[in-house]
Amino acid sequence: MRGFAPSPVTRWLIGLLVGIVFAIPFAATLLYTLESPSGLSLDRWAALFDPANAAAYRPIWTGLGNSLILAAVTVLLVLLLFAPTMVLVALKFPQLRRGFEFLALLPISIPAIVLVVGLAPIYLQIGRTFGTGAWTLAFAYGILVLPFTYRSIQASIDAVDIRTLSEAARTLGAGWFTVLLRVIAPNLRQGLLAASLISVAVVLGEFTIASLLNRQVLQTALVLINRQDAWAAAISTLLALAFAFVLLLIIGRAGRVGARRQSS
């Protein structure tokens, strides 16, 4: 099989080609925001941060703040609710794995509009109980990211003998909370990290559910601003992509540093 592996030059060429394909839309958008009658200019970028235009561009910053809160709450739901449930199924109820997997993967086969129709009565009650804040969308987003996070976490569970680890820790006197937090979670770090990255990416890019449930997030704010200032929407899109890229790098870097500290 090694004879079929591409050479380093081939891998670099493939990587370069893929990079160019991804870079062309961003470069075109950047040039679009810099164009002016007198040539290239940063005037439109400066206008976005001008205090005089704060009221006009406030939906962008409000939507960005709401999306970041939603991303944080969704990641907490995945790490504190979904991941422990998967560990519990693997340790105590392995016969339920197929059914649990079916339920976790089911949302990917349901169109967003159907999800919204089903969630609308639930959100009517959520609105009466918790209010209509944008953060309540995290319940819907928690369902939306299930198929992606399930695969990431389950791959890590399958790669580690968590039953032996948990029994060994329990034999030494550790409680279940200690077993989960200090024994199992560090061994599932890669899967939990990948699930967190995917959750952040899905939440920052989601539009349909937020729009149909009348919540203001980054994507709905960009559509709103685009109707009155297409350049501002394009600049905000580039900034959002750069922010998401940096955020994913930071999360990935934090995971690798933690793994090195544990191995040393």
Side-chain angles (χ1 to χ4, degrees), residues 97 152-162 165 187-188 190:
R97 174 175 171 175
S152 302
I153 299 173
Q154 189 61 49
S156 293
I157 292 177
D158 292 338
V160 179
D161 189 355
I162 61 173
L165 289 174
N187 286 282
L188 304 181
Q190 293 300 325

Side-chain angles (χ1 to χ4, degrees), residues 58-74 132-138 141 200 203-206 210 214-221 243:
R58 183 174 294 117
I60 293 179
W61 307 117
T62 303
L64 178 61
N66 290 338
S67 291
L68 292 178
I69 294 173
L70 281 169
V73 176
T74 305
T132 57
W135 70 271
T136 57
L137 273 181
Y141 287 174
V200 172
V203 171
L204 292 182
E206 204 286 326
N214 294 321
R215 301 298 197 275
Q216 188 173 16
V217 297
L218 177 61
Q219 297 301 322
T220 58
F243 175 78

Side-chain angles (χ1 to χ4, degrees), residues 31-32 54 74-75 81 101 116 131 140 142 148 178 215 245 256 262:
L31 286 176
Y32 172 71
T74 305
V75 169
L81 181 62
E101 180 179 6
V116 171
F148 311 104
T178 302
R215 301 298 197 275
F245 182 71
R256 287 194 295 272
Q262 187 187 22

